[in-house]
Every structure is written in C-alpha cells, then in structure tokens.
Amino acid sequence: AQLLRLTIGKLSDIGITVLAVTSDATAHSVQMAKALGIHIDGDDMKCTFQHPSSSSQQIAYFFDSCHLLRLIRNAFQNFQSIQFINGIAHWQHLVELVALEEQELSNMERIPSTLANLKNHVLRVNSATQLFSESVASALEYLLSLDLPPFQNCIGTIHFLRLINNLFDIFNSRNCYGKGLKGPLLPETYSKINHVLIEAKTIFVTLSDTSNNQIIKGKQKLGFLGFLLNAES
C-alpha cells in the first residue's frame, strides 16, 4: 500500500492523474486494499481511497474480473448448489451439459470443448469465462425446452450464469466501440449497465448454500463481494 501511494504521488509529480487502481483478487491484494482504506464488506462498502497528492481527489479501486470469475467458479463448484431469490443454480447441470457435448448432439450448438474439463473439475481462467457465458446459458435454455429430465429445473442455473456473464462483460470492457454490455460507460449505456449492477447487488446479498448459510458472509465470499466493490467503483 505504501509503495502504491508513493507511485501514485510520483506520477502526479510528472502530470499523470491516477483515477483508478486494479489488482488481482488474492489475499495479499485484499490486505493492501484494506490498508489503503477500502472496505470490502457488503454492509459497509467503501470503494475509494484518498489520493496521496490531492486532498480533494479520491481513487477508485477495482478487482480484476478474470480473477473474480475464477473465485465464483470455485465457489459454485464447492457448494454444488447456490440458492438465491430467483431460484437455485446447480453445478450438476454443467456436468450434464458436458456429458451431452461428449455425445456430440447434432441438433444443438456445440459447447466449447474446453468445458469437457468440468468432468474432472479442473478448469483454467479462460475456461471459467466460457462457463459463465451466454452460449452455455442458451444451451441450457434449449435443453430445458426439450424437457429432458436432467435439465427440467435449470431455470435458476440459467439466470445465475447470465448474471455473472453480464457482470464480466461490463468489467472486462476494453473497446470504446464495444456493443451491448461490452461497450464503454456512456450516458446512453448507463441505464442498461446500472440495471445489471443493481440486480447483482440485490441477488448477491441473498445467495446461500444448501444449509441456508449466507455466502457473502462465508469463506468463499470474495468473488461476489469483489464484483459488488467494482459496481460501487
């Protein structure tokens, strides 16, 4: 934290203004954020810290969205089922989806082959981005319409995957010409983006495991709280 403040001060000395800081989502980064004055708590969240060279300026703090996505993937895999106000998301639906992909169904869109790793529960960060994707949500939606027994109660899983995918698109935006939620934050896109952020906050505070333990109060909360901090920033 001290080195970061020093660096920001040196940049200010040569005319560069730091508006935001992004870090990975590790235990060390969380400790650094707290040392800067960031509060990562669902009940008392503070997403900015004081600029070391300007008493009137605050600097926003973000966690890297790829790291957050991996943490949420790990939590989902660990809990197997996540309950929220819109239903229940089941990890088993993804395992069943991989099983169908291996059968190479000819009447549905192919799922990325890297998702086959789900069966062994060994996923990389880039596979996590494919897991929480519109293509996977659409595939589950299609299987639900076929009324196949393994997917008859997958509405909650679809909703959960889409929400995480939308959050990732917002915070992974890197192109001023991007479309939809991948586009930049502008007056004309603010309403749509803000709707997703409000939905995430509403849903994340209700997330619980099968024993009704609130997830954002437990050990695997950082992925969810990280996205909430990003939303505040």
Side-chain angles (χ1 to χ4, degrees):
Q2 292 174 339
L3 286 172
L4 183 60
R5 287 194 183 99
L6 179 63
T7 302
I8 293 171
K10 293 292 186 182
L11 289 170
S12 181
D13 291 342
I14 60 172
I16 296 175
T17 302
V18 176
L19 301 177
V21 169
T22 302
S23 77
D24 55 11
T26 63
H28 290 297
S29 296
V30 169
Q31 291 303 313
M32 180 184 72
K34 290 180 178 178
L36 290 169
I38 301 299
H39 296 168
I40 312 168
D41 189 314
D43 298 323
D44 181 25
M45 192 164 283
K46 184 176 183 294
C47 64
T48 62
F49 64 95
Q50 183 68 52
H51 193 293
S53 301
S54 173
S55 60
S56 62
Q57 184 184 346
Q58 294 286 314
I59 298 175
Y61 198 95
F62 290 87
F63 285 114
D64 178 73
S65 54
C66 287
H67 287 251
L68 296 176
L69 206 65
R70 181 171 59 182
L71 290 174
I72 291 178
R73 186 278 321 279
N74 291 345
F76 191 18
Q77 175 186 333
N78 179 63
F79 292 125
Q80 291 293 306
S81 294
I82 293 179
Q83 303 177 122
F84 56 106
I85 55 176
N86 297 88
I88 305 177
H90 296 283
W91 179 265
Q92 185 61 29
H93 289 144
L94 302 174
V95 177
E96 297 286 353
L97 186 60
V98 169
L100 283 178
E101 163 63 8
E102 290 178 344
Q103 295 174 23
E104 298 184 358
L105 293 181
S106 59
N107 62 338
M108 67 172 286
E109 178 182 345
R110 285 184 61 83
I111 306 304
S113 59
T114 51
L115 280 178
N117 286 334
L118 274 171
K119 287 200 72 177
N120 300 321
H121 300 320
V122 179
L123 282 174
R124 298 172 182 171
V125 175
N126 62 340
S127 297
T129 62
Q130 292 177 328
L131 169 65
F132 295 105
S133 67
E134 179 59 34
S135 62
V136 172
S138 296
L140 288 175
E141 213 164 37
Y142 175 72
L143 293 168
L144 177 64
S145 70
L146 295 180
D147 203 29
L148 296 178
F151 304 98
Q152 286 180 347
N153 63 337
C154 68
I155 294 177
T157 307
I158 294 168
H159 193 117
F160 182 69
L161 294 181
R162 281 210 169 109
L163 175 60
I164 304 302
N165 170 69
N166 289 340
L167 284 173
F168 181 76
D169 283 349
I170 290 171
F171 295 114
N172 199 45
S173 173
R174 63 185 67 186
N175 186 339
C176 63
Y177 300 107
K179 302 299 182 182
L181 295 175
K182 294 182 179 181
L185 180 61
L186 299 169
E188 55 266 32
T189 62
Y190 171 81
S191 179
K192 186 174 184 179
I193 290 174
N194 192 49
H195 175 77
V196 175
L197 302 185
I198 291 175
E199 180 187 17
K201 186 171 184 178
T202 302
I203 288 178
F204 282 4
V205 296
T206 71
L207 295 177
S208 64
D209 60 21
T210 53
S211 299
N212 289 320
N213 297 311
Q214 194 174 10
I215 290 177
I216 63 169
K217 299 291 185 182
K219 293 182 178 180
Q220 291 189 282
K221 61 186 178 181
L222 183 56
F224 303 100
L225 286 180
F227 271 125
L228 292 184
L229 181 80
N230 287 2
E232 292 292 329
S233 293

